[in-house]
């Protein structure tokens, strides 16, 4: 009665017990002393009915317990999914789908620690869309938001596997290039600049834009703030030198 196969599949138990009961009754009718046959059959039948009754109640409770466990397991899985989503949302820029400043800070800290422990270089690129304010002024902020999303998508498509793009703020983006020396970082930056310049963004209306990029590579004992300042200074130089170019 207490076996899981019975309590979770009570119909199978009823079938098996019913067959056993039928065989037992037939055996009693054929072989038992006639004086006790009727009493034995009645007693056995009453016992079997009671077993069916109590087994049914036990089965219902066990199945309710199993259903509750499954429900709790599904709820726990849903909560784990929600927690994961919350963590992702907390580190993602809602407009562009790129990492936000929180994700950037964690990534730069991780890269710095790795570089210090292994001696491997890493670089960053700071990107700024040229004359972005004019887009907002002429076409409105909705078109400006669409342009930022399209720009982020184009940048993503031009990155190597392992490179990470984040939105630094406004129309500025910062890309982290793991295991990348300065010369390679400059090559990546130039490829991105050309890809942005090559064709208009698929916005409404299509927008032809350019981007200025500043590159910097981590140096020994340099802080994250100093590295960011170097990339920012390179970006400022690109802007002052006419925009739509890469500087380091």
């Amino acid at each position: 009665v207490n076996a899981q196969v019975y309590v979770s599949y009570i119909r199978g138990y009823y079938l098996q017990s019913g067959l056993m009961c039928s065989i037992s009754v037939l055996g009693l009718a054929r072989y038992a002393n006639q004086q006790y046959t009727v009493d034995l059959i009645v007693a056995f039948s009453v016992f079997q009915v009671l077993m069916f009754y109590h087994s049914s109640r036990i089965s219902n409770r066990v199945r309710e317990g199993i259903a509750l466990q499954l429900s709790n397991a599904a709820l726990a899985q849903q909560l784990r999914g929600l927690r994961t989503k919350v963590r992702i949302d907390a580190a993602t820029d809602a407009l562009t789908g790129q990492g936000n400043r929180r994700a950037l800070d964690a990534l730069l800290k991780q890269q710095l620690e790795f570089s210090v422990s292994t001696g491997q270089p890493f670089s960053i690129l700071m990107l700024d869309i040229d004359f972005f304010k004019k887009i907002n002024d002429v076409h409105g902020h909705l078109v400006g938001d669409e342009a930022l999303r399209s720009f982020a998508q184009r940048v993503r498509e031009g990155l190597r596997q392992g490179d990470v793009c984040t939105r630094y703020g406004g129309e500025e983006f910062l890309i982290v290039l793991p295991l990348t020396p300065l010369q390679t970082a400059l090559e990546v930056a130039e490829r991105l600049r050309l890809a942005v310049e090559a064709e208009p963004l698929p916005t409404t209306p299509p927008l032809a834009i350019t981007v200025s990029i500043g590159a910097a590579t981590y140096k020994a004992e340099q802080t994250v703030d100093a590295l960011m300042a170097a990339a920012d200074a390179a970006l400022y130089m690109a802007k002052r030198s006419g925009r739509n170019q890469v500087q380091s």
Side-chain angles (χ1 to χ4, degrees):
V1 172
N2 292 323
Q4 291 183 358
V5 68
Y6 292 148
V7 296
S8 60
Y9 184 46
I10 193 65
R11 291 183 180 178
Y13 170 71
Y14 287 161
L15 178 60
Q16 177 178 307
S17 297
L19 290 173
M20 292 174 63
C21 179
S22 300
I23 293 172
S24 300
V25 169
L26 290 174
L28 286 171
R30 182 172 182 179
Y31 298 109
N33 189 311
Q34 293 297 320
Q35 181 178 356
Y36 303 109
T37 298
V38 176
D39 293 341
L40 288 171
I41 291 174
V42 171
F44 188 76
S45 299
V46 171
F47 170 76
Q48 196 66 41
V49 169
L50 291 173
M51 285 293 292
F52 282 174
Y53 173 73
H54 289 293
S55 297
S56 177
R57 297 183 64 185
I58 293 172
S59 175
N60 288 337
R61 290 186 178 182
V62 170
R63 284 185 292 181
E64 288 174 0
I66 292 174
L68 181 60
Q69 289 178 354
L70 292 174
S71 177
N72 288 339
L75 180 60
Q77 179 64 30
Q78 184 180 5
L79 290 174
R80 285 193 293 270
L82 288 174
R83 284 197 295 268
T84 301
K85 185 178 184 301
V86 167
R87 286 196 297 270
I88 293 174
D89 289 346
T92 302
D93 175 61
L95 177 63
T96 63
Q98 303 300 102
N100 59 16
R101 288 293 296 272
R102 178 178 178 179
L104 173 63
D105 291 343
L107 181 59
L108 287 175
K109 179 181 178 182
Q110 180 187 57
Q111 287 297 313
L112 186 144
E113 292 174 351
F114 179 78
S115 185
V116 169
S117 63
T118 63
Q120 296 291 336
F122 78 96
S123 300
I124 63 173
L125 303 177
M126 190 171 288
L127 292 72
D128 186 272
I129 301 174
D130 296 328
F131 304 109
F132 184 76
K133 184 177 182 299
K134 185 177 179 181
I135 296 175
N136 285 330
D137 293 342
V138 174
H139 301 285
H141 288 279
L142 291 180
V143 175
D145 288 348
E146 187 181 1
L148 287 174
R149 285 192 292 268
S150 298
F151 174 79
Q153 177 63 32
R154 185 162 297 178
V155 169
R156 272 199 305 269
E157 293 170 353
L159 293 178
R160 308 165 304 171
Q161 185 175 3
D163 297 340
V164 180
C165 178
T166 62
R167 187 181 181 192
Y168 188 62
E171 67 273 18
E172 289 188 335
F173 293 77
L174 194 140
I175 299 172
V176 180
L177 308 174
L179 302 173
T180 304
L182 180 59
Q183 185 57 43
T184 305
L186 292 172
E187 293 171 2
V188 173
E190 181 63 14
R191 187 170 66 249
L192 290 174
R193 186 192 69 79
L194 291 173
V196 171
E197 184 185 33
E199 57 182 305
L201 297 177
T203 54
T204 305
L207 296 173
I209 66 168
T210 58
V211 62
S212 299
I213 305 176
T217 298
Y218 173 74
K219 299 177 182 178
E221 299 183 1
Q222 192 176 36
T223 64
V224 168
D225 289 341
L227 177 63
M228 297 278 286
D232 188 59
L235 175 62
Y236 181 73
M237 185 185 301
K239 292 283 190 180
R240 289 289 301 270
S241 301
R243 294 183 169 84
N244 189 27
Q245 58 183 274
V246 177
Q247 292 288 346
S248 63

